[in-house]
Amino acid sequence: MTPTTVLACALWIILPVAVPLCVFSTFWLFLGLSLTAAAKVLGPWQAGAPDPRIPRPGPGEPAHRAYWSRQMWLDARSAAYSSMLAVRYRLEADWLRRIAKRLFQGRIVSNGLPGETWFTRSLRRLLAPGTVVGAVAGALLAALLTAVTLVVFGLLLGFVWLLAVTAAGALRAAERGWRTVRGIRMACPYPGCYRPFPLAVHRCPNCDAVHRELRPNRYGALWHVCACGQKLVTTSLTGRDRFTARCPHCDRHLPAAVGTTRVVHLPLIGGTSAGKTMLLAAMAAGLQAWSRRSRLTVEYASDDDRRAAVSVNQQLNQTGWALKTQGGQPRALMLRVGYGRRRRLLYLYDPMGESLREAGTVRMQQYLEHADGVILVADVLAEPGVRRALQGDDAERAGGARPADLGPLDTYQRLTGELSALTGRRRRIPMAAVVTKRDVLDRLSALPVPGARIDGWLTEIGLGSLVRGLEHDFRTVRYWAVSAYTATGTGALDSEQLRAAEPVLWVLARSGLRVGALAGGPPSGDAPGPRTETVRDRAGR
């Protein structure tokens, strides 16, 4: 008998059994088995049931990783492994070790059936090879189809992953671009910190967990899911500012607008008793006065800011003077200022006068790194040359005004060099020079009355070097003369409050807020004015 004949006989015995068994039974059996095994691994399918596949958040970020970032691939691998393992196990355990073995032995059950004959046992032995081939063929075809399905599924998962990564990157880029266009730079307003940061720390409103990475990333593109199950949106554009925010460096509370509104840092620089605190109170009152007669909107950024302003106003109402600034580096007074559709978060710093006595203490004023403008509080009564010109009643009036410990020229000289070192952009910073204690200056017979040009008046009384220094070191300078005393406390003059707010409005106008007309000059967006600007004094109004 030739091998070809033997092979033909074997095929005639095997194929009539294997083909129908594979086509009508084992292929579908193994295919359903593999898909069922894959589906069970992807479970549970009941809503709200615990899912052991998803790991709990780690000790770092208290949020679940996004499904597409890791778990999706683990599930796909588990589904592929489980489906193939189920096919292999059923083929080996049921078909090869149990069914095929008994058929080769000529029986169906372990002990045989009553009345069996040699013919029936021989017939079963003939069916055994076809059964084995049909089972193996059905398992292989089912595994092949499952593998193709899993490959297609993997490609779809890759497409989903690519979409999710692209969406997360696009959202982060959109928020970064939005902040860049609006000039939003986040920095801490608290003393001892003042550090900039790209992202605030947010707390979950449900469990108060600390989220340091609440932005589009591996924890989610549109939202993160906190360990407690709370959904947290990931961008300022979708309402992230609703959550409590804290500084990532010092862990102190930040106003809600810190990530959505451009911050304008504005320090008031002057010697001890130059009138900075009273001028700050007058500026806040002046902004409120402008809000009552224009489209300007002003509100305190937090309850702490409101309480601080109320405390200063109570002191002014009771005594007519503000207490000396204490406590080292200042905490910024934060105001939300708006005009039309534009908003600014204004940081007003009132440092101690002692912080300007030495270069080392000036360098410690880290908030100067972020300055968008500077208000030089000039108490000319503290200038030695001016004091020597005062005699009799003038000297007595000047002494009653509590002159500062440093004259404006000394204050400026201590500031300007360190400001250049701290910011590296001194010439681009607008400088508002505000002469304080105007109510006293108007009553001194030995000095000329401040006229329409405050810079000319400063030169006339012997402070020309201050004017020249300001105009040399800063590209844009503007001058005011203000009586903070008559703009604060009981019986404050509305006109003087409006005047006191003009330096702040001028700096805000330089930042793009359209309030230039309120500051006594051209609105922002108009052609730039001269290098040295002045403001009309009381007599010129």
Side-chain angles (χ1 to χ4, degrees), residues 245-520:
R246 306 186 76 85
C247 174
H249 303 298
C250 65
D251 196 37
R252 282 179 278 192
H253 178 73
L254 297 172
V258 73
T260 59
T261 307
R262 178 174 176 178
V263 178
V264 176
H265 300 264
L266 186 56
L268 280 70
I269 303 300
T272 302
S273 192
K276 298 187 304 298
T277 303
M278 290 186 66
L279 180 60
L280 180 63
M283 287 174 170
L287 291 174
Q288 297 286 352
W290 276 114
S291 69
R292 293 189 292 268
R293 60 175 60 201
S294 69
R295 296 169 56 198
L296 189 75
T297 60
V298 181
E299 57 183 350
Y300 294 102
S302 68
D303 292 337
D304 290 339
D305 297 295
R306 186 183 303 277
R307 284 191 291 268
V310 169
S311 176
V312 172
N313 288 331
Q314 288 177 346
Q315 177 68 24
L316 291 171
N317 289 334
Q318 293 171 3
T319 66
W321 295 94
L323 296 176
K324 177 184 175 182
T325 303
Q326 303 285 348
Q329 295 183 333
R331 175 194 181 276
L333 175 67
M334 294 174 284
L335 300 172
R336 287 194 292 266
V337 183
Y339 193 82
R341 298 176 61 182
R342 300 192 181 189
R343 299 289 184 272
R344 294 292 183 269
L345 181 58
L346 180 63
Y347 284 15
L348 289 170
Y349 299 92
D350 177 19
M352 293 190 307
E354 291 84 352
S355 63
L356 298 173
R357 287 180 178 173
E358 298 178 359
T361 56
V362 175
R363 284 191 217 103
M364 294 175 60
Q365 311 304 308
Q366 296 299 315
Y367 55 88
L368 292 174
E369 294 182 12
H370 316 297
D372 297 286
V374 175
I375 294 179
L376 177 65
V377 182
D379 182 6
V380 298
L381 296 177
E383 194 64 32
V386 175
R387 291 296 301 273
R388 286 193 295 268
L390 303 180
Q391 302 293 331
D393 292 342
D394 286 347
E396 184 177 350
R397 291 191 185 97
R402 304 178 184 181
D405 60 341
L406 286 177
L409 182 58
D410 289 338
T411 301
Y412 172 71
Q413 290 174 342
R414 285 167 171 76
L415 167 70
T416 180
E418 300 305 324
L419 183 63
S420 179
L422 286 169
T423 67
R425 51 185 177 88
R426 183 184 62 189
R427 285 188 56 78
R428 298 197 303 270
I429 298 175
M431 167 63 76
V434 180
V435 175
T436 55
K437 305 177 182 178
R438 172 67 183 271
D439 55 298
V440 177
L441 295 174
D442 284 345
R443 293 185 289 124
L444 298 178
S445 59
L447 296 179
V449 176
R453 293 193 53 96
I454 304 301
D455 54 343
W457 176 80
L458 288 171
T459 302
E460 187 178 355
I461 65 172
L463 286 171
S465 55
L466 173 63
V467 174
R468 290 189 295 272
L470 288 171
E471 296 179 3
H472 176 269
D473 294 330
F474 294 89
R475 183 177 301 169
T476 307
V477 184
R478 194 164 177 180
Y479 301 86
W480 281 264
V482 173
S483 171
Y485 182 81
T486 57
T488 56
T490 304
L493 297 179
D494 189 64
S495 60
E496 201 64 24
Q497 289 180 339
L498 297 176
R499 182 200 301 271
E502 288 182 2
V504 178
L505 293 170
W506 178 69
V507 174
L508 290 174
R510 308 295 297 188
S511 75
L513 196 67
R514 300 183 180 278
V515 292
L518 304 184

Side-chain angles (χ1 to χ4, degrees), residues 41-92:
V41 172
L42 296 176
W45 296 95
Q46 182 180 359
D51 193 345
R53 300 170 301 124
I54 302 178
R56 299 295 299 172
E61 185 72 6
H64 294 282
R65 286 279 294 270
Y67 181 75
W68 53 264
S69 70
R70 180 178 62 184
Q71 192 63 38
M72 181 176 70
W73 301 109
L74 296 177
D75 288 347
R77 186 178 67 180
S78 299
Y81 178 77
S82 298
S83 61
M84 296 304 172
L85 185 64
V87 171
R88 176 185 172 185
Y89 176 80
R90 182 63 63 87
L91 177 65
E92 292 180 353

Side-chain angles (χ1 to χ4, degrees), residues 147-213:
V148 172
T149 303
L150 290 174
V151 169
V152 175
F153 182 59
L155 292 175
L156 292 176
L157 291 183
F159 181 68
V160 171
W161 177 85
L162 183 61
L163 285 179
V165 170
T166 303
L171 287 173
R172 289 182 67 164
E175 184 171 35
R176 189 179 298 113
W178 175 73
R179 285 180 177 173
T180 301
V181 170
R182 301 191 65 177
I184 297 175
R185 294 177 289 111
M186 294 181 288
C188 181
Y190 294 101
C193 187
Y194 302 127
R195 297 167 65 182
F197 51 86
L199 181 67
V201 172
H202 295 85
R203 290 188 177 272
C204 174
N206 186 41
C207 67
D208 206 37
V210 176
H211 292 260
R212 297 183 177 274
E213 297 187 40

Side-chain angles (χ1 to χ4, degrees), residues 37 47 78 218 241-242 282 312 327 448 490 536:
S78 299
R218 59 183 177 172
D241 56 299
R242 298 194 307 266
V312 172
T490 304
R536 295 178 64 81

